[in-house]
Amino acid sequence: MAPSAAPSPAVRTLADFPAMLGRLRRARGFSQLGLALAADVSQRHVSFLETNRTRPSRDMVGRLAAALDLALKDENALLLAAGFAPAHGEHAFGDEAAAMIRRVTELALAAHEPFPAFAVDRAWRPLAGNAPALALFGALIGDGALDPAVSLMRAAATSEAFRTSVANWPQLALHFVALAEAEAWRAPPGPMRAELDATLAALSALTPEGAQLHAVQPMGAALILQVRTPALSVDLVSTIAQFGAPHDTAADDLRIEFFYPADAASETALRALASRRPQT
């Protein structure tokens, strides 16, 4: 008789819930008391949940997920472990079910021209970019700048051309570390988390031990990306947009980074670059 197939990772039993809750709690640095306070329940109830002496309700799982600031995929897994159906859709950016998300993203990227903008996932792997972003970062990072499997932060860190083209690279590298650590905090196990870990390893190898973001260079109102090449000198600041109320992993994982010229000279340079770019 042939051996039975291994169960899908998404298939959970009630016995999985206590271990999963404890793992997620510890990964986020909560004590049982800390989680109880965040979820507005008693410490005893959290203890009973983690020792399988109490079965959670669906509402309780939602409260715990909110207190733990779980990504939607982890919340779904916790619900499955508790014996409930997932609450959120799980789709990739390119799936048919994510058509609305892609449309909104494409509109946002196009509207931002002639300034650069990227759509990335929580590991900062590129999903899409407008023409100014593709041209600028393709030139700075070089071949493979938009590998969908590689974080833009890791691609930048491992590109000597990029590091030498950014006047404040040490400060930017520390910012990347903080950004990757914040995303890794919520990323479920899987390829996305693995890429965040690889990004942090690459950045750590290039960051002085014990360095602090504000100690590298005095901070102004916001971090400026200082691009300095023989052909271009621009200062860029960025803002990051996310869906306000995501109910699918395609929306939950999406970030759109908009780069703006930090001064009039940078704006003039970016507009001049756009005017010289071939129109499609």
Side-chain angles (χ1 to χ4, degrees):
M1 181 177 177
S4 59
S8 164
V11 176
R12 307 287 183 181
T13 68
L14 286 175
D16 292 320
F17 179 84
M20 186 180 298
L21 177 60
R23 173 181 63 81
L24 290 168
R25 174 181 61 76
R26 290 187 293 273
R28 280 150 178 78
F30 277 108
S31 64
Q32 287 187 344
L33 176 60
L35 177 57
L37 291 172
D40 195 23
V41 298
S42 69
Q43 181 180 359
R44 183 184 184 199
H45 191 64
V46 173
S47 175
F48 277 23
L49 288 171
E50 290 193 5
T51 55
N52 210 18
R53 295 176 66 184
T54 297
R55 289 181 57 176
S57 66
R58 187 179 182 88
D59 176 69
M60 178 55 61
V61 176
R63 289 168 64 181
L64 292 168
L68 291 166
D69 191 25
L70 297 186
L72 297 190
K73 190 171 183 178
D74 264 345
E75 183 177 350
N76 278 348
L78 198 60
L79 281 164
L80 284 167
F84 301 109
H88 310 287
E90 293 192 22
H91 297 96
F93 182 75
D95 290 350
E96 183 178 350
M100 179 273 288
I101 295 166
R102 288 196 306 278
R103 174 172 170 74
V104 170
T105 300
E106 290 163 3
L107 287 171
L109 295 177
H112 195 62
E113 294 191 17
F115 308 132
F118 273 114
V120 298
D121 65 16
R122 70 173 65 250
W124 242 251
R125 296 178 296 187
L127 301 170
N130 64 11
L134 301 180
L136 177 60
F137 287 88
L140 291 177
I141 297 176
D143 294 338
L146 295 181
D147 184 341
V150 177
S151 163
L152 284 173
M153 293 185 287
R154 181 157 72 99
T158 55
S159 168
E160 183 178 0
F162 184 92
R163 297 195 308 271
T164 57
S165 297
V166 174
N168 60 333
W169 165 251
Q171 189 179 27
L172 185 64
L174 287 170
H175 170 68
F176 282 169
V177 168
L179 193 62
E181 286 179 340
E183 293 291 359
W185 178 266
R186 294 184 67 239
M192 193 179 302
R193 177 58 184 269
E195 179 56 26
L196 282 164
D197 290 342
T199 297
L200 284 167
L203 288 164
S204 297
L206 295 164
T207 305
E209 186 173 354
Q212 296 181 350
L213 179 61
H214 296 278
V216 176
Q217 182 176 324
M219 294 284 283
L223 178 65
I224 295 176
L225 171 60
Q226 300 172 343
V227 178
R228 301 290 186 269
T229 73
L232 184 66
S233 177
V234 294
D235 287 350
L236 302 172
V237 294
S238 76
T239 63
I240 299 169
Q242 297 177 239
F243 277 85
H247 287 284
D248 189 284
T249 56
D252 191 37
D253 291 339
L254 180 70
R255 286 95 176 89
I256 305 177
E257 184 167 20
F258 300 98
F259 291 90
Y260 292 88
D263 51 45
S266 296
E267 179 180 354
T268 298
L270 290 173
R271 292 189 183 278
L273 275 179
S275 68
R276 296 195 295 268
R277 192 176 302 117
Q279 301 298 311
T280 57

